Amino acid sequence: MEPLETQGADAFSMRGLATALNIKSPSLYCHVRSKEELFDLVIEQSVSHREA
């Protein structure tokens, strides 16, 4: 999640992530409903890695 790390949460956008992944924004929404849901998944993944 380089765009999130480099831009910070406030400046992060789904469109920017899609551009970084070289895909179109609607493709992201097939997997997550919103930026907030994506953030929740990132946090969940980070916590699970720390517990392992």
Side-chain angles (χ1 to χ4, degrees):
M1 293 286 308
E2 185 178 321
L4 181 57
E5 292 173 358
T6 59
Q7 299 170 1
D10 291 334
F12 176 85
S13 70
M14 295 294 275
R15 183 176 293 152
L17 177 59
T19 299
L21 295 171
N22 200 29
I23 62 173
K24 300 207 183 288
S25 296
S27 299
L28 291 173
Y29 292 101
C30 291
H31 303 282
V32 293
R33 293 182 199 146
S34 65
K35 178 169 92 170
E36 289 75 20
E37 183 179 354
L38 179 62
F39 286 173
D40 288 343
L41 291 169
V42 168
I43 292 168
E44 183 180 305
Q45 189 70 20
S46 295
V47 168
S48 69
H49 279 286
R50 287 185 182 178
E51 292 175 349

